[in-house]
Amino acid sequence: MTLLFLSLAPVILILIYINYRDKYEKEPLGLLLKALVAGAIITIPVVFVERSLDVYKMDDKLVDAFYKGFIVAALTEEAFKFFAFRILIWKNKNFNEFFDGIIYAVFISLGFAAVENILYVFQGGGTVGILRAFTAVPGHAIFGVAMGYYFALARFIPEKKSYYMSMAIIIPVLLHGFYDFIIFAENEWLLLLFVPYIIFMWVFGFKKMKKLSENSQFKG
């Protein structure tokens, strides 16, 4: 029970916070729950795809870490989150302001993170749960912020739709890939970048949320 609490507590806290930041027009609970469940469901195909891609082993350790971080993990996971958003949210009438892109993308991302976190914490124990509560789980939320930010721009700035739509997958993959690359490389010099990179991601996420929240058409 303790491990389950450690697995889900950070997810729940971030979901509450993201929903709180949606100040001007709350999203329907049913659609938010669908986004969360969709994120959880995509863990199934993600596992199969990652396992099929992870059979390749590169001779150089850094190249191998790059492949596993950017291709096996980041590209696979963010691509499925992207498609979940496109299928469930993109044409939904409730996606009617900029910040909606962020909230729905984060709910999808944290649905995935919840399942992933349970698997890692039940395997690695309480210490892993505490560590991931401050790293991996917020990381997935920030990848969701990035994806939702660019989805929102694609939705409401139609003349640049193609560009922003491409950024909605490229930026999360780059953020996610570099995060995993640092870990998989097991290089002491790269590991020195880990904490500064976590701080950078948090600052990046908060700035994107603030920008879209302030541009809400429902403000005031």
Side-chain angles (χ1 to χ4, degrees), residues 165-205:
M165 192 70 78
S166 63
M167 290 298 102
I169 184 67
I170 291 172
I171 299 303
V173 167
L174 291 177
L175 290 171
H176 190 161
F178 191 66
Y179 173 94
D180 283 344
F181 172 68
I182 292 173
I183 296 172
F184 294 154
E186 297 179 341
N187 180 287
E188 59 183 15
W189 295 108
L190 280 173
L191 286 174
L192 291 175
L193 298 176
F194 188 69
V195 172
Y197 186 64
I198 293 292
I199 295 171
F200 160 77
M201 288 202 304
W202 282 49
V203 172
F204 172 90

Side-chain angles (χ1 to χ4, degrees), residues 21-219:
R21 288 295 299 266
D22 187 21
K23 297 178 180 180
Y24 304 110
E25 196 229 9
K26 292 294 185 183
E27 303 311 300
L29 180 59
L31 188 57
L32 291 176
L33 291 176
K34 286 180 182 179
L36 194 66
V37 171
I41 290 173
I42 63 172
T43 58
I44 298 170
V46 164
V47 167
F48 284 104
V49 173
E50 287 185 339
R51 285 180 178 176
S52 66
L53 292 174
D54 202 24
V55 296
Y56 303 104
K57 177 73 175 177
M58 309 299 172
D59 293 331
D60 185 276
K61 191 170 185 179
L62 287 180
V63 174
D64 191 60
F66 182 90
Y67 172 71
K68 289 181 177 178
F70 281 90
I71 306 301
V72 177
L75 181 58
T76 302
E77 294 172 17
E78 300 308 322
F80 275 97
K81 294 175 191 175
F82 179 93
F83 290 125
F85 191 105
R86 282 282 310 206
I87 293 168
L88 183 64
I89 305 299
W90 178 252
K91 293 185 178 180
N92 192 286
K93 65 181 181 180
N94 292 289
F95 185 11
N96 58 1
E97 67 160 324
F98 282 100
F99 198 82
D100 291 350
I102 286 180
I103 191 169
Y104 287 121
V106 170
F107 267 70
I108 291 170
S109 195
L110 287 182
F112 178 90
V115 176
E116 182 187 68
N117 213 37
I118 289 171
L119 296 175
Y120 274 105
V121 173
F122 271 75
Q123 183 178 16
T127 302
V128 171
I130 294 170
L131 181 63
R132 286 179 61 84
F134 294 96
T135 55
V137 176
H140 275 292
I142 292 162
F143 308 148
V145 168
M147 183 175 291
Y149 175 85
Y150 287 104
F151 261 124
L153 297 186
R155 172 87 167 199
F156 299 108
I157 308 177
E159 62 271 21
K160 293 186 177 180
K161 176 184 173 182
S162 297
Y163 170 75
Y164 288 130
M165 192 70 78
S166 63
M167 290 298 102
I169 184 67
I170 291 172
I171 299 303
V173 167
L174 291 177
L175 290 171
H176 190 161
F178 191 66
Y179 173 94
D180 283 344
F181 172 68
I182 292 173
I183 296 172
F184 294 154
E186 297 179 341
N187 180 287
E188 59 183 15
W189 295 108
L190 280 173
L191 286 174
L192 291 175
L193 298 176
F194 188 69
V195 172
Y197 186 64
I198 293 292
I199 295 171
F200 160 77
M201 288 202 304
W202 282 49
V203 172
F204 172 90
F206 281 118
K207 283 185 176 180
K208 296 301 184 188
M209 285 190 289
K210 182 179 180 181
K211 183 175 180 179
L212 292 198
S213 180
E214 290 179 347
N215 286 328
S216 173
Q217 68 189 65
F218 298 102
K219 185 177 181 181

